[in-house]
Amino acid sequence: MGAIENDWKSPLSEEFKKPYYRELYQKVKEEYESGKVFPEPDDIFNAFMFTPLSKVKAVILGQDPYHNHGQAHGLCFSVKPDVDIPPSLVNIYKELSEDLGCEIPSHGYLKKWSDQGVMLLNTVLTVRAHAANSHQGIGWEKFTDAAIRILNEEDRPMVFLLWGRPAQNKKAMLTNPKHLILEAPHPSPLSSYRGFFGCKHFSKANAFLKANGVEPIDWQIENIE
């Protein structure tokens, strides 16, 4: 597995020493050795590496990585530039277009958001190929819960975008009154019409950041030439 080398390393250091993490590490190592697992090992912690703790302005919580070849690269909802845009992200782009007038891009690579302080964190960081949720319950949730608690304790305004029941289950950990919590149904085709469309989370997030003296996020993903 890749390593976390930025300012996330210190606050997460205690997690790496705990028995559950040693068991998790061993389990994930065996899974990579015995079959196909996504994302690539060096991409597992990209949500942390691309968005240092000190830079986080907003957090979008996903579940587990995409499980088809070439999709997952460590950021929730994002895919590599040459991969078809998954249905949930198609709906995210539709809402962005309606909310902020953003042009819908030709790809689903969301690193631009990460680079601006939007942490795209899955609650489970690996998955067996073609087997959704196959790494649930092996320890990743404890690790990402620790990250959510660290974010909650940050003494500055942040926005948490909780889409769907699993993300909303983390709300109990978000006790800091400085933070804004936005909730909506999941953007998947199964649930997006129950209130994800029209939630205006992107404009609400930017309004909150601006009101607190924080540079808003440029949500527009440009086409790659």
Side-chain angles (χ1 to χ4, degrees):
M1 294 199 287
I4 296 174
E5 297 295 350
N6 59 12
D7 63 358
W8 275 104
K9 184 175 182 178
S10 177
L12 285 170
S13 60
E14 289 304 310
E15 297 304 307
F16 295 121
K17 300 172 187 173
K18 291 179 179 178
Y20 88 84
Y21 190 85
R22 287 196 289 272
E23 293 174 13
L24 168 65
Y25 181 91
Q26 192 58 38
K27 172 68 174 173
V28 171
K29 184 170 178 284
E30 290 169 2
E31 287 277 299
Y32 275 100
E33 289 170 350
S34 63
K36 191 64 181 171
V37 173
F38 301 121
E40 294 298 323
D42 287 346
D43 289 340
I44 291 173
F45 293 118
N46 276 351
F48 297 89
M49 293 306 298
F50 291 169
T51 313
L53 177 59
S54 61
K55 304 293 186 188
V56 177
K57 299 177 182 178
V59 181
I60 298 176
L61 290 177
Q63 288 178 253
D64 68 336
Y66 296 122
H67 54 83
N68 289 328
H69 282 278
Q71 291 180 305
H73 66 102
L75 306 180
C76 73
F77 294 109
S78 179
V79 290
K80 294 177 183 178
D82 55 350
V83 174
D84 289 343
I85 303 171
S88 291
L89 184 52
V90 168
N91 287 339
I92 290 169
Y93 283 162
K94 285 180 183 175
E95 175 59 22
L96 255 177
S97 178
E98 288 294 316
D99 186 11
L100 291 174
C102 290
E103 299 280 332
I104 294 176
S106 58
H107 65 91
Y109 190 56
L110 303 180
K111 186 173 182 287
K112 178 183 174 180
W113 292 357
S114 296
D115 292 342
Q116 294 180 83
V118 182
M119 189 170 192
L120 300 172
L121 180 65
N122 280 315
T123 54
V124 174
L125 300 187
T126 55
V127 68
R128 203 176 300 137
H130 315 303
N133 302 319
S134 50
H135 284 180
Q136 279 191 346
I138 66 171
W140 279 128
E141 294 91 344
K142 291 181 181 178
F143 182 79
T144 54
D145 279 359
I148 293 167
R149 290 191 188 96
I150 290 164
L151 289 161
N152 179 61
E153 291 166 6
E154 286 291 290
D155 189 30
R156 55 196 166 84
M158 278 182 207
V159 187
F160 289 83
L161 295 86
L162 307 181
W163 299 336
R165 187 76 42 80
Q168 289 162 13
N169 287 341
K170 306 299 182 182
K171 185 179 178 181
M173 288 188 280
L174 302 175
T175 57
N176 190 330
K178 292 198 171 184
H179 301 330
L180 175 66
I181 300 170
L182 299 173
E183 298 179 76
H186 196 275
S188 83
L190 297 174
S191 56
S192 55
Y193 290 93
R194 296 207 300 266
F196 178 79
F197 289 135
C199 71
K200 298 190 180 298
H201 278 190
F202 304 103
S203 59
K204 289 175 180 177
N206 275 356
F208 173 79
L209 293 171
K210 283 194 277 191
N212 284 279
V214 181
E215 182 76 18
I217 296 148
D218 176 8
W219 294 101
Q220 177 68 62
I221 299 291
E222 288 83 13
N223 287 333
I224 296 173
E225 299 301 325

